């Protein structure tokens, strides 16, 4: 990513055109929704918002604001990965270390008799910490319809759920490992709960409830995040100002307002960040931008060693590094550097969808978040895609042929709108 200055008039035009994108997205959606955008580059730093926010206590609505906070789901994963890399740079671990060497004492403390092998079988002895942050461990996911519906059940969604509960559920899937560790790249959020346990094993706290992810990040990362927070065991209303709309989707969850549940349903260090799109855009810029100051350059290059997902969800359409993705709204598989590609991480959690990362050729970081998870295309294939097209026109003078999706398009056929390469 290289810096490229633009005159104030260009910045004003871009903001006006992107506001239209958000407004059109809300209108196309056809019901109450809030969409927030954060943009950061060398000479531009702005946020935009459109839509309305439901007021659970009164049944009314209010306009969404730039200060409203949203849930970012798996957008948390790059932060967890940064914390792991900091531990490595501090000499506390190696990415080649066996996972069980760091976790077994902690697991036994959390639940006597529990070890990495007792959870995932004898072959789990081959799992390294590097496998975990690169989605190469082979561990199964907990993010399946049965567990999603369990966590949203009325008698479960308000109580505290420990990270071990997520890991144990994933370990009941058959087989417990999808491949020989290191031989596949298979997306599983379970990896980043496990990564959180690695952080806990090295943190100066007594229990998982006390782990503060922000405190484990480099100072530059903490500064870039602004007012963003990481939940421990609080009720969501402690920091969340925008209720989310959950329901349907591939998990076929019931229509549920995500507002006052226990924050522990989010999956701890794989998805517990709450903040604004601007917070996330600034973090991505500080991590991946031309003057990134969160990690040493050599460490960041390690995080950016990408391999194509080759098993399970999103097989062949996402490249994964260490807590980082390369995605594209233009082609499958994504090619970093081509217009439409971006490096960062998507987020899909109960009631919220987000996309964030550095935009190839546009010299900027972008984050867009919406309080809706049943319409799987609203962020990536609508707002995010259109933002890239508009920015290419305003900043580069390019009329992109990238096709963004409309509400009537089938979200399951999203690949039909991109070029297969």
């Amino acid at each position: 990513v290289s810096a490229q200055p633009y005159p104030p008039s260009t910045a004003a035009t871009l903001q006006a055109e992107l506001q239209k994108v958000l407004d059109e997205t809300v209108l196309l959606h056809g019901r109450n929704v809030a969409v927030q955008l954060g943009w950061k580059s060398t000479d531009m730093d702005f946020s935009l918002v459109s839509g309305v926010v439901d007021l659970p206590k009164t049944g009314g609505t209010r306009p969404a604001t730039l200060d409203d906070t949203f849930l970012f789901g798996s957008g948390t994963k790059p932060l967890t990965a940064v914390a792991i890399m900091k531990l490595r740079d501090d000499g506390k671990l190696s990415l080649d270390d066996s996972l069980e060497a760091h976790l077994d004492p902690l697991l036994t403390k959390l639940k006597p008799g529990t070890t990495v092998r007792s959870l995932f079988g004898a072959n789990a002895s081959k799992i390294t910490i590097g496998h975990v942050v690169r989605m190469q461990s082979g561990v199964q996911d907990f993010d399946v319809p049965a567990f999603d519906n369990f966590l949203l059940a009325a008698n479960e969604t308000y109580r505290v759920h420990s990270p071990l509960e997520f890991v144990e559920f994933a370990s009941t899937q058959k087989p417990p490992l999808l491949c020989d560790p290191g031989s596949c790249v298979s997306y599983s959020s379970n990896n980043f709960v496990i990564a959180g346990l690695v952080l806990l094993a090295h943190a100066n706290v007594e229990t998982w409830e006390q782990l503060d992810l922000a405190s484990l990040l480099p100072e530059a990362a903490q500064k870039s995040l602004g007012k963003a927070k990481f939940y421990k065991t609080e009720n969501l209303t402690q920091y969340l100002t925008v209720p989310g709309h959950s329901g349907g989707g591939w998990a076929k969850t019931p229509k549920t307002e995500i507002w006052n549940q226990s924050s522990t349903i989010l999956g701890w260090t794989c998805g517990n960040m709450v903040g604004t799109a601007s917070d996330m855009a600034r973090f991505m810029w500080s991590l991946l931008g031309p003057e990134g100051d969160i990690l040493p350059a050599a460490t960041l290059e390690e995080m950016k060693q990408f391999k194509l997902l080759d098993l399970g969800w999103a097989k062949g359409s996402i490249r994964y590094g260490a807590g980082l993705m390369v995605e594209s709204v233009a082609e499958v598989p994504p090619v970093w550097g081509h217009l439409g590609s971006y490096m960062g991480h998507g987020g899909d959690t109960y009631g919220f969808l987000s996309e964030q990362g550095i935009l190839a050729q546009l010299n900027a970081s972008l984050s867009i978040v919406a309080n809706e998870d049943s319409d799987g295309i609203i962020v990536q294939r609508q707002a995010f895609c259109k933002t890239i097209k508009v920015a290419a026109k305003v900043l580069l003078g390019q009329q992109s042929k990238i096709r963004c999706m409309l509400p009537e398009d089938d979200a399951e056929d999203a690949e039909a709108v991109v070029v297969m390469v």
Side-chain angles (χ1 to χ4, degrees):
V1 180
S2 59
Q4 181 177 348
Y6 296 98
S9 60
T10 300
T13 299
L14 179 64
Q15 291 185 52
E17 292 301 311
L18 294 187
Q19 184 65 57
K20 292 178 184 178
V21 168
L22 295 193
D23 293 344
E24 290 170 0
T25 300
V26 169
L27 285 174
L28 283 171
H29 197 67
R31 59 185 183 275
N32 291 353
V33 66
V35 183
Q36 196 181 67
L37 176 154
W39 178 283
K40 181 74 174 77
S41 63
T42 300
D43 51 358
M44 297 186 211
D45 186 347
F46 62 84
S47 54
L48 304 169
V49 69
S50 186
V52 296
V53 175
D54 291 326
L55 301 174
K57 292 183 178 180
T58 67
T61 62
R62 65 166 174 81
T65 73
L66 298 177
D67 293 325
D68 271 323
T69 55
F70 295 71
L71 301 180
F72 282 85
S74 291
T76 308
K77 288 182 172 75
L79 292 133
T80 300
V82 165
I84 290 287
M85 299 307 286
K86 183 178 185 300
L87 275 183
R88 196 286 305 275
D89 287 353
D90 289 345
K92 302 294 180 61
L93 56 79
S94 166
L95 296 186
D96 294 327
D97 287 349
S98 71
L99 179 65
E100 62 183 8
H102 292 264
L103 274 203
D104 280 358
L106 173 65
L107 291 173
T108 300
K109 179 181 177 181
L110 293 174
K111 186 175 182 179
T114 304
T115 65
V116 170
R117 296 190 205 190
S118 75
L119 289 167
F120 300 109
N123 212 28
S125 64
K126 301 177 183 179
I127 299 175
T128 67
I129 292 174
H131 291 152
V132 169
V133 294
R134 294 181 177 124
M135 297 291 185
Q136 296 175 22
S137 69
V139 297
Q140 291 264 18
D141 209 343
F142 52 77
D143 189 10
V144 296
F147 198 60
D148 286 338
N149 281 278
F150 166 76
L151 290 174
L152 291 182
N155 61 334
E156 295 291 342
T157 200
Y158 301 104
R159 77 173 186 86
V160 172
H161 295 271
S162 75
L164 185 58
E165 190 174 341
F166 287 73
V167 176
E168 286 184 315
F169 180 87
S171 73
T172 66
Q173 306 296 301
K174 303 299 181 185
L177 293 181
L178 292 168
C179 67
D180 197 47
S183 68
C184 68
V185 189
S186 180
Y187 191 92
S188 169
S189 288
N190 191 24
N191 282 297
F192 279 79
V193 177
I194 292 171
L197 292 173
V198 173
L199 295 176
L200 179 60
H202 291 274
N204 188 28
V205 296
E206 293 298 319
T207 66
W208 68 268
E209 294 97 331
Q210 298 172 322
L211 187 74
D212 178 18
L213 182 55
S215 69
L216 306 180
L217 297 171
E219 185 176 348
Q222 296 180 41
K223 182 179 179 181
S224 72
L225 285 166
K227 296 180 180 180
K229 303 289 185 181
F230 299 92
Y231 285 111
K232 298 174 186 175
T233 62
E234 303 93 334
N235 186 287
L236 288 175
T237 54
Q238 181 74 23
Y239 304 120
L240 181 66
T241 67
V242 176
H245 304 296
S246 185
W250 82 282
K252 296 180 172 58
T253 54
K255 288 186 177 180
T256 306
E257 188 173 61
I258 305 301
W259 172 240
N260 62 346
Q261 290 87 348
S262 167
S263 63
T264 59
I265 68 172
L266 302 177
W268 202 42
T269 51
C270 85
N272 63 348
M273 180 183 151
V274 56
T276 67
S278 184
D279 294 333
M280 182 59 84
R282 289 168 181 164
F283 165 74
M284 285 293 175
W285 183 254
S286 293
L287 179 66
L288 299 171
E291 298 176 356
D293 57 357
I294 289 177
L295 291 172
T299 300
L300 186 59
E301 285 306 306
E302 287 185 78
M303 292 184 70
K304 290 159 61 174
Q305 299 303 306
F306 294 98
K307 290 187 177 182
L308 198 63
L309 294 178
D310 57 21
L311 183 65
W313 176 81
K315 173 183 176 181
S317 61
I318 292 175
R319 300 186 192 276
Y320 211 89
L324 293 173
M325 291 175 166
V326 170
E327 301 179 80
S328 177
V329 296
E331 57 191 352
V332 174
V335 179
W336 172 245
H338 288 189
L339 185 65
S341 65
Y342 55 103
M343 183 186 301
H345 213 290
D348 181 348
T349 191
Y350 304 118
F352 296 85
L353 292 170
S354 66
E355 294 289 336
Q356 38 270 321
I358 292 286
L359 305 177
Q361 297 191 25
L362 293 171
N363 309 307
S365 66
L366 171 69
S367 174
I368 300 180
V369 60
N371 64 333
E372 164 69 54
D373 72 358
S374 59
D375 180 356
I377 68 172
I378 184 173
V379 174
Q380 186 187 45
R381 295 297 178 183
Q382 290 181 5
F384 206 88
C385 178
K386 291 176 182 177
T387 293
I388 290 174
K389 291 188 67 173
V390 166
K393 180 179 179 181
V394 173
L395 301 180
L396 306 178
Q398 291 186 17
Q399 289 283 358
S400 169
K401 295 182 179 180
I402 296 171
R403 181 191 160 199
C404 303
M405 295 184 73
L406 297 172
E408 59 266 26
D409 291 324
D410 186 349
E412 295 183 357
D413 294 329
E415 289 187 0
V417 306
V418 299
V419 178
M420 304 298 289
V421 297

